[in-house]
Amino acid sequence: MKRENIKGRANVEDTPELDAYYRALEGEELGALWNVANEIEPWYPQPKSVPTHWKWKRVEPYVRKAADLVSAEKAARRVVMLVNPGRKEWSAAAGLLYTGVQVMNPGESASAHRHQASALRFVMEGKGAYTIVDGERLDLGARDFVLTPNGTWHEHGVDASGTQCVWQDGLDIPLMNSLDANFYEVHPKLNQAPAPLSRKNWSKPYSPVFLYKWDESYKQLQKHGHFEYKNPLTNGPVMPTMGAKLELVKETKAIRHTGSVIYQVATGRGWSEIGGKRFEWEEKDIFCVPSWTKYRHGAHGEAVLFSFNDLPAMKALSLYREET
Ligand code: GTQ
């Protein structure tokens, strides 16, 4: 057993009598706190997630191949997941966040469902993609950002006149499962009847705006140097558990904070130092920053980073901390 000789923390010597006692405890579904206190109450967060960089060059062939091997209809959601080596059992990209790359061919569609997990997507490429959220059709182009908040019916497709479309999904699936609060339902008719969504007297805990077009977001980004996707009614994050933003990167100051961040390179090339490791990235690469891990970014020339995070969940629970 691992022991730490630190004042005020567990430091109990093993004896044959204690060993027998520990075995007996286990048989009764009991345990001695002093054997695990240093692990279950770390001095500071000890994420299992590791800084990970998924190069698009490496991911892309598998995404294209999925489109040949499996039909969108049979897969329900044809997605190649980005799985952090330290969080495999949760299919998390980092911490409480899941991400994957979804691919759809012209003329394909995937049926409607809804779940407790909140979802967002950042379009990587293609023409003719759409998402229908609670009956409202949203047409998607490259680098558009779209929400499917928790509980909303949603389905995806690509018009027959379009091209193969690829987008990044971001969901808080690991958060929902950590909280044992996940639910999932398939639409009784498999597809939604188109219907205009009423935004009168909006009382939902998420943004009434579901689609943020790239041109407008990029214009705002250039004006201010950063751009957060916001709920226009509250000026806060778009959903209660996840936020998202765009950054115009030159060179950022090192920071660490609680909560995880998943990035996609929207434009340009650059580098990030994450937990002492350096990653060189280019367009469409995806990488993650685990909780309480020091990081900074720099661009070769100019670059735009899209990212989403679980900071609204951390802040709602008063768990957000940062250090610069
Ligand atoms: O498009 O609804 O990548 O429900 C994972 C779960 C996508 C989706 C994912 C989902 C979806």
Side-chain angles (χ1 to χ4, degrees):
M1 257 164 270
K2 210 172 110 209
R3 296 284 146 78
E4 271 177 66
N5 191 9
I6 296 164
K7 226 178 176 179
R9 302 223 69 173
N11 183 25
V12 180
E13 300 296 329
D14 263 338
T15 64
E17 196 181 10
L18 269 175
D19 275 347
Y21 171 73
Y22 296 146
R23 273 200 302 278
L25 282 181
E26 262 181 53
E28 301 289 342
E29 327 302 344
L30 302 169
L33 171 65
W34 61 87
N35 282 337
V36 296
N38 296 336
E39 279 115 70
I40 69 169
E41 295 190 292
W43 302 103
Y44 49 85
Q46 302 280 345
K48 296 269 188 296
S49 309
V50 295
T52 306
H53 176 198
W54 293 272
K55 288 183 197 282
W56 178 237
K57 263 192 225 146
R58 303 279 304 270
V59 175
E60 183 180 9
Y62 293 102
V63 171
R64 307 278 180 213
K65 192 153 188 184
D68 293 337
L69 292 175
V70 186
S71 76
E73 196 192 337
K74 280 193 179 163
R77 292 295 185 268
R78 187 172 50 209
V79 177
V80 174
M81 303 186 297
L82 281 58
V83 184
N84 195 288
R87 293 283 282 173
K88 282 184 188 171
E89 77 278 31
W90 294 85
S91 293
L96 302 170
L97 298 174
Y98 156 102
T99 200
V101 178
Q102 189 160 169
V103 58
M104 217 165 248
N105 290 323
E108 281 189 322
S109 63
S111 55
H113 68 200
R114 64 179 177 184
H115 36 68
Q116 192 67 294
S118 299
L120 52 82
R121 13 202 82 85
F122 190 74
V123 180
M124 300 172 84
E125 61 173 62
K127 288 199 170 74
Y130 63 85
T131 286
I132 305 172
V133 183
D134 273 349
E136 186 174 68
R137 181 181 152 128
L138 307 163
D139 289 299
L140 308 174
R143 301 191 188 89
D144 287 351
F145 173 74
V146 64
L147 305 182
T148 50
N150 53 348
T152 56
W153 293 110
H154 55 282
E155 61 193 271
H156 317 295
V158 175
D159 290 331
S161 60
T163 62
Q164 188 174 72
C165 291
V166 176
W167 60 82
Q168 181 186 8
D169 295 319
L171 291 95
D172 55 7
I173 290 171
L175 171 64
M176 290 306 111
N177 290 333
S178 301
L179 296 171
D180 285 336
N182 219 349
F183 292 89
Y184 186 100
E185 243 181 297
V186 172
H187 195 280
K189 294 195 171 130
L190 291 182
N191 294 100
Q192 304 166 73
L197 184 66
S198 168
R199 291 183 166 82
K200 247 199 231 152
N201 306 316
W202 191 261
S203 61
K204 305 270 168 65
Y206 47 78
S207 170
V209 176
F210 293 164
L211 175 60
Y212 297 72
K213 298 297 285 181
W214 168 253
D215 285 350
E216 183 53 32
S217 307
Y218 186 61
K219 216 187 281 169
Q220 293 297 318
L221 175 69
Q222 280 180 314
K223 200 163 150 194
H224 305 288
H226 58 92
F227 172 78
E228 192 179 340
Y229 297 98
K230 281 185 174 166
N231 176 343
L233 297 181
T234 62
N235 213 30
V238 285
M239 295 187 286
T241 54
M242 289 192 293
K245 62 180 188 174
L246 296 172
E247 286 168 82
L248 201 55
V249 179
K250 289 187 185 91
E251 192 165 329
T252 66
K253 287 201 185 92
I255 187 174
R256 68 172 168 183
H257 53 72
T258 52
S260 310
V261 188
I262 314 288
Y263 286 89
Q264 187 196 133
V265 183
T267 68
R269 292 186 314 115
W271 53 269
S272 297
E273 280 170 14
I274 308 169
K277 269 186 161 172
R278 188 179 166 100
F279 301 99
E280 291 281 339
W281 40 252
E282 55 189 17
E283 217 174 283
K284 298 197 182 82
D285 283 6
I286 294 171
F287 59 92
C288 71
V289 176
S291 185
W292 207 240
T293 303
K294 206 191 269 184
Y295 67 99
R296 64 192 189 105
H297 314 296
H300 302 310
E302 194 185 283
V304 177
L305 289 175
F306 162 80
S307 65
F308 70 95
N309 59 67
D310 57 6
L311 304 190
M314 301 305 279
K315 286 174 182 170
L317 298 171
S318 302
L319 300 175
Y320 184 74
R321 271 206 216 190
E322 70 172 43
E323 227 176 60
T324 46

